[in-house]
Structure formats: C-alpha cells, structure tokens
Amino acid sequence: VIKCKAAVAWGAGKPLSIEEVEVAPPKAHEVRIKVVATAVCHTDAYTLSGADPEGCFPVILGHEGAGIVESVGEGVTKVKKGDTVIPLYIPQCGECKFCKNPKTNLCQKIRITQGKGVMPDGTSRFTCKGKQIYHFMGTSTFSEYTVVADISVAKIDAAAPLDKVCLLGCGISTGYGAAVNTAKVEPGSTCAVFGLGGVGLAVIMGCKIAGASRIIGIDINKDKYAKAKEFGATECISPQDSKKPIQEVLVEMTDGGVDYSFECIGNVGVMRAALEACHKGWGVSVIVGVAASGQEISTRPFQLVTGRTWKGTAFGGWKSVDNVPKLVTEYMSKKIKVDEFVTHTLPFDKINEAFELMHSGK
C-alpha cells in the first residue's frame, strides 16, 4: 500500500481537500501509476457541483493526467513498470462489439463499474481516514498515485513532457477529433465554433489542420478572441453584439450558413443555435459540450428535413489505446499544438485555485 497526497472531494459543492490517502496495490489486469501532472476540466467541476447523476462522494476526481507505471497486477501485458502513460477515461478493450466496430470509440467493457466509481471487480483502491474513497471516470488523476484498469491506459513516448501531454487525456483530443473524425471537416469549408475554452480552441486547431478556409469563433468573453485567432480562427463574434439570434447573424455572414458548427459549452440553447447556423442541404453540427443532467435539445424538425445533420462526439471519436500515442507523436513532431493550451501551472496543493481560474475563464 502506498501512502500519498490526493485532492479528495468529500461532498458536492465543497472545495477539494488535500489529504493523505492509501492507494492499494493493483489487482489482476490493473495498473498503478505515479501521476506526474494533471489538468482540470469542466467535467470535474460538473461532478463536484453535484449536478452529475453519476457523481458519488467521497471521490478523487481528475481525468486529464500523465505519469509513470509504478507497478502492474497479474496478467498485465501491454505496459510494465517504468513505462510513460496517459490514463484513459474511455478505455479500449479490443474485444467488445463497440471496440470491434470502426464507427465508434465507446468501449463498454467496464462502463457500469466505472460509472459507479469502482474498479471492474466492484471495489475501490483508495481509502482515507478509514473510509472508502470512490474512483472517478476510471482515472482519478487528482492523486499522486492512482490505480486504473489495464484497458484504460495508453503507453506513450517516454520523451514527451508530461505536464503538457496530460491534456491529450481529454480536452485537446476531444476538440481536435470532433473536427477531423466526427465532422470530417473538408478543405475550403466554413466552420463556426461556439465556446472558446480549451476544447473550442482544439476544435479550431482541427478545422485549420483539415483545411477550413473560414473559422468563426463565438464567445461572449472577448478576452478569448486573441487566443482563438492564434489557433486559426479567422474572425470572432459575440452573440451579445446583435439584437438578432446568433444563428441568424451567422447565416447572413456566410451566405446561407456554415458547413460545420461545433457546440463546446454544454448549453442546450446554444446547441440549437449551432444547428440552425448550419447551411441547408449539407450543414453538419457537432455537440461536444456536456449538458447538465435532465436537459433536452430541441429544434424544428424542418431543420433536419431540409438537410442538416446533428451529431455528437465523445473523446473526439478516437479509439483511445490506439490513438493517444499517435496524438503524442503528432505533438512531438509539431503537427498539433499542446503547449499553447497551458495558461497556468500550479503546485498540487493549489488545485482549488486552478478551479477558480477555470471558472473565471482565465
């Protein structure tokens, strides 16, 4: 058993608490990882807020991490002690019907136990002050050591800087894949990206790499425009600058609508606007943002009857074990940006400040 520091969420709406936790050794088909770096994501904040129907407490959150394998359980063959890895919140077992289908990346092998905050055998590897602590998204990277299923880990280039590539565990991969895998953006197309946070910037990067000629960034926070242009946005607009609905503004700006739109916020009203900003006959809108529990999307069916397509994406459509190492290689060869997404680097015990920075849009 390893004793180490972790940021424990004792209950909904409370700040994270840095505690000493015990991390049990990995059982069969499990891997224990020394987490070197982790990032914060709105999904962590969503669960912490209490709005997540799958949220359970006390829990160690975090799902964008990178580290080194400390030990492996019986039967683990894909990684060994000392390997550099990224934990995966969407695993890839290679055996379930989802893994065998090229149309999806949503491996279901451990979905039920992962959603309940436990390892595949139904138990937890974390304890603190004599209490069992739940796992989160199969990763729990807000701990100096974590235990994951062996199908939830990708071995990556040992030379990769872990304080950067941890972001490929969720946000950057999600946005980039939404453009190149889910939407399949084509050269010369016009795109609109709603929400210019980390995921939105990654979508812009993907659209640019795919050869889009016009990329319109949309956000009410104008402080984000300079960064969006650095990533490839050709122009940025705020919905608050016009009395007309944003979809009408976009349809006028683009002679009938955009070829591809992306919602990177998790707001169902914006999801509708993103669809309705698409061009009749061929426009495709991709939902990337995760809306709160119980919310529903709506539009007039005529929008779809007249040739628009509504799609969704999880982790950018990447089959995780196969593709995360390739994304690291793309970063190492400067095909995709990663360093530019990092705005602040804080010591682990300042993790609550990191959440404040995220909520303030900084």
Side-chain angles (χ1 to χ4, degrees):
V1 174
I2 290 177
K3 288 187 176 177
C4 68
K5 282 195 301 185
V8 177
W10 288 106
K14 294 179 185 163
L16 301 178
S17 175
I18 301 290
E19 306 278 4
E20 183 180 80
V21 299
E22 295 85 41
V23 185
K27 294 189 182 177
H29 294 288
E30 294 177 3
V31 179
R32 187 160 60 181
I33 300 167
K34 179 185 194 320
V35 180
V36 175
T38 184
V40 296
C41 170
H42 275 285
T43 310
D44 303 305
Y46 168 61
T47 299
L48 187 58
S49 74
D52 181 356
E54 274 197 346
C56 38
F57 297 93
V59 63
I60 294 173
L61 299 169
H63 64 284
E64 289 184 331
I68 310 291
V69 174
E70 178 274 332
S71 59
V72 300
E74 196 188 325
V76 175
T77 55
K78 298 269 173 69
V79 293
K80 62 183 187 306
K81 183 178 175 167
D83 282 349
T84 305
V85 293
I86 289 177
L88 307 167
Y89 72 90
I90 294 182
Q92 187 186 349
C93 71
E95 295 163 0
C96 70
K97 69 178 181 182
F98 287 79
C99 281
K100 286 178 172 170
N101 191 320
K103 294 177 181 176
T104 185
N105 62 329
L106 298 175
C107 172
Q108 296 296 295
K109 182 84 177 271
I110 58 172
R111 180 71 199 93
I112 292 166
T113 49
Q114 183 172 314
K116 290 178 178 163
V118 290
M119 294 300 288
D121 72 346
T123 63
S124 167
R125 300 291 163 270
F126 298 120
T127 49
C128 180
K129 298 177 179 171
K131 287 193 181 124
Q132 171 183 283
I133 307 291
Y134 287 108
H135 293 250
F136 177 68
M137 289 175 75
T139 53
S140 291
T141 59
F142 293 172
S143 174
E144 291 178 322
Y145 287 85
T146 189
V147 178
V148 304
D150 63 353
I151 59 172
S152 302
V153 65
K155 181 183 172 180
I156 61 161
D157 183 344
L162 301 187
D163 61 330
K164 305 295 192 294
V165 296
C166 60
L167 290 167
L168 292 169
C170 176
I172 299 178
S173 305
T174 297
Y176 176 44
V180 299
N181 296 332
T182 311
K184 296 185 168 62
V185 171
E186 295 158 324
S189 52
T190 298
C191 302
V193 181
F194 292 77
L196 301 176
V199 175
L201 294 176
V203 171
I204 289 172
M205 175 176 78
C207 292
K208 186 181 178 185
I209 289 169
S213 58
R214 192 173 179 191
I215 304 168
I216 305 163
I218 300 133
D219 203 298
I220 55 176
N221 181 351
K222 294 187 177 181
D223 294 341
K224 298 194 168 190
Y225 293 179
K227 197 76 163 168
K229 286 177 180 167
E230 201 183 298
F231 276 87
T234 52
E235 63 221 278
C236 294
I237 57 173
S238 168
Q240 295 175 336
D241 286 352
S242 172
K243 291 198 169 65
K244 288 180 185 166
I246 187 68
Q247 52 266 56
E248 286 181 28
V249 174
L250 285 160
V251 166
E252 282 174 18
M253 280 173 66
T254 56
D255 183 30
V258 299
D259 302 310
Y260 301 97
S261 71
F262 301 86
E263 197 280 354
C264 308
I265 302 159
N267 177 308
V268 292
V270 179
M271 290 172 190
R272 177 173 190 159
L275 176 80
E276 295 177 359
C278 282
H279 202 289
K280 188 186 213 172
W282 63 77
V284 173
S285 186
V286 181
I287 294 173
V288 192
V290 176
S293 166
Q295 296 199 323
E296 297 184 350
I297 49 172
S298 63
T299 188
R300 293 187 0 267
F302 194 67
Q303 292 285 334
L304 300 175
V305 171
T306 50
R308 293 169 194 82
T309 304
W310 223 343
K311 301 180 92 165
T313 189
F315 196 55
W318 302 107
K319 285 193 184 274
S320 58
V321 174
D322 291 344
N323 287 293
V324 168
K326 292 177 186 169
L327 290 166
V328 171
T329 303
E330 285 192 6
Y331 157 65
M332 300 291 276
S333 61
K334 300 196 160 46
K335 187 190 168 186
I336 59 172
K337 295 181 196 282
V338 173
D339 297 8
E340 294 82 355
F341 285 88
V342 180
T343 54
H344 300 76
T345 303
L346 300 169
F348 185 39
D349 55 13
K350 298 272 175 70
I351 192 162
N352 288 307
E353 279 182 38
F355 276 89
E356 284 163 25
L357 286 162
M358 179 173 65
H359 287 306
S360 67
K362 292 178 179 160

